Amino acid sequence: MNRLKLPPWLVLLLPAIIILSAVVLIPLVLSLYSSFTSYRLTRPDSIFNWVGFFNYEKALTDVKFWAAFGRTVLLLTVALNLEMLFGLGLALMVSKVTQGQRLLRTMMMFPMMFSPILVGFQFKFIFNDNVGLVNNALQSLGITDQAIPWLVDGHLAMFSIIFAEIWTATSVFGILILAGLYAIPRDPLEAAKVDGCTAWQSFRYVTLPFLMPFIYIAMAIRSLDVARAYDIVQIMTNGGPARRTELLWTLIGRTGYVDARMGYANAMGYISIFLAIFFTIYFFKKLTQSRKELGMGA
Amino acid sequence: MAQVHLRDVVKKYGPLEVVHSINLDIADGEFVVLVGPSGCGKSTTLRMVAGLEGISGGQVKIGGRVVNDLPPRERNISMVFQNYALYPHMTVRENLGFSLKIAKQSQADIDKAVDEAAEILSLTPLMDRKPGALSGGQRQRVAMGRAIVRHPEVFLFDEPLSNLDAKLRTQMRVEIKKLHQKLKSTIIYVTHDQIEAMTLADRIVIMRDGHIEQVGTPLDVFENPVNTFVGTFIGSPPMNLLSGTVKGSSIEFEDGTLLPVPPGYEIADGQAVTFGVRADNIMPVGHALPRGEHMAEVEMAVDLTEPLGTETLLFATLAGTEVQAKMLNPRPVQSGERMTFQIMLDKCHLFDAETGATLRK
């Protein structure tokens, strides 16, 4: 009997190869392939209809796509920066707490424990123009007698979404920066005091450089998160009103599953991935650079 | 340059008092070393002078000015830390110039001061490196450079050499001493290493459990320890201590051995005493360098030897207590060999058996 002899390294790697191809490789190749077809979910045989780069050309010349792209970048920039600032502030304050700090740290994580879908529903209610908490509070305080259309006005809707994003994710920055604060050696801070630094100068010249690696790690994680933002927006505004809060993935989701144009949706998806990859690479570069500044790693 | 005065300085952490009413006057340009075992409050005292710890009671004066409530930056001091405490993200040049930059000095002034400090400490070739790329000794020099660029009134050193290896430590010790001679500034230096204290200090302050035990020149505290703690802490190997009772003009040890009372002591009959003798003053006959006029001889069996080259340390038993003796021009000694030792009584000490305080009047 002549049994097929596989080299041992291949045999050992085979389980990993099989699992990886089942969950990563095959879907990846299939979706990439389908982005070159006019594949529609309603007409399965259209998956064999090769259209070349048509979907990509269409996406790149589509105003709606670029509007969603721009909006996603805007959301990324604004939300990430504000989350970083708030998270930094939160971490600095929590690190000063001497009693009950553990409890506070746990409480800080609460927003992360909720499903984004539920957070979306919660903020949809909070910002509702008729029965929402915000309008109710504003009216009760006599600040306004109008029903402010938080989720209907284009700008306000974007603001509301950013607000919800910040509420859920500030603690990611908070926790990571807090970890960074704990890792700062005490000596350089004392040296800074003796060297004549005010509290602000100590923070600016000593604490902050030590925190930068932690900030960039948080940025890298969150940029991936926000670049694929879907759930909160889908629930709060469904990309509306009149597509004014349409982000990349709500657009792609709608194109793929509502309009059933999966080939086109996949093409847009592949373009969008580059956005996420770009931000990730950018923040990792920054991370490496800031670590190098501190003399950590190569 | 400035004097430093500590008046009844107390440090408390909650109900726990760790520094008990310390008084110390440090003259302008003096090199004072605070020495003691860990936990004796020496670093805390230094940090109170620096302004890194609050002062719970008493007064700290620098240059005639009470600084109790001033932040470190207004005290005109600089400090060298045990772990160097360099800013890892700054180059050597930036580290050196940082305090001047914070003080908003002009770039030209900063460069001048930094280059000068770099020159003194031979840091010039390292100026563009970051601390991560420096050896321990180089980092320590940068830390010292950072302290000297500001020309402070007082330098504070917090165990600056304890992270260095033995050879480098000896080398840096010399550099610190040279630096002091060059700058002629007031230095307060904390260490747990009595050799560092002896070699560097103009005056040594020996601390234990938050109290000052003795203040004096290195030779003074070595020759005239006020109690058994100072006697054993200063000097290496530590002073041998033997318990005995005064009988007339002799001291009787537990096993009946008799030694004359050292000259200069007048002690009542029957008083329990601790007899202190350093290894340098108990030497085998024929291998000794007699010091003083009063000698006594004892015979002891040698248990163990530690040859050091120019001398050999002998471990023997006298009156049931292990004592260390020194042998000059050493010859090989067998374990168990009985030898006659000379004790230079002029250099011996008597302490109160109970309090440990010296009985010298």
Side-chain angles (χ1 to χ4, degrees), chain A residues 186-199 201 205-206 209-210 292-295, chain B residues 47 52 72-73 77-79 81 83 85-90 98-99 101-102 104 130 146 150:
Chain A
R186 199 186 56 172
D187 284 2
L189 281 170
E190 293 193 332
K193 268 192 204 169
V194 175
D195 269 348
C197 286
T198 58
Q201 286 167 326
Y205 293 111
V206 184
F210 269 109
K292 211 168 139 191
E293 291 230 323
L294 287 172
Chain B
R47 291 167 58 81
L52 295 171
R73 64 172 184 278
I77 45 132
S78 60
M79 185 152 168
F81 294 82
N83 302 313
L86 301 178
Y87 309 118
H89 52 293
M90 298 183 198
F98 183 66
S99 60
K101 185 177 146 195
I102 290 297
K104 298 210 164 62
K130 287 203 173 148
R146 197 171 57 176
R150 295 172 53 211

Side-chain angles (χ1 to χ4, degrees), chain A residues 191-246:
Chain A
K193 268 192 204 169
V194 175
D195 269 348
C197 286
T198 58
W200 162 249
Q201 286 167 326
S202 295
F203 173 76
R204 165 74 188 75
Y205 293 111
V206 184
T207 308
L208 202 55
F210 269 109
L211 288 181
M212 282 329 273
F214 293 86
I215 290 177
Y216 285 125
I217 288 174
M219 286 271 192
I221 295 173
R222 282 293 297 152
S223 69
L224 284 175
D225 258 358
V226 179
R228 57 154 208 230
Y230 176 79
D231 22 30
I232 286 186
V233 185
Q234 183 66 25
I235 300 298
M236 283 177 72
T237 63
N238 192 14
R243 292 183 180 270
R244 271 186 226 133
T245 55
E246 188 86 292

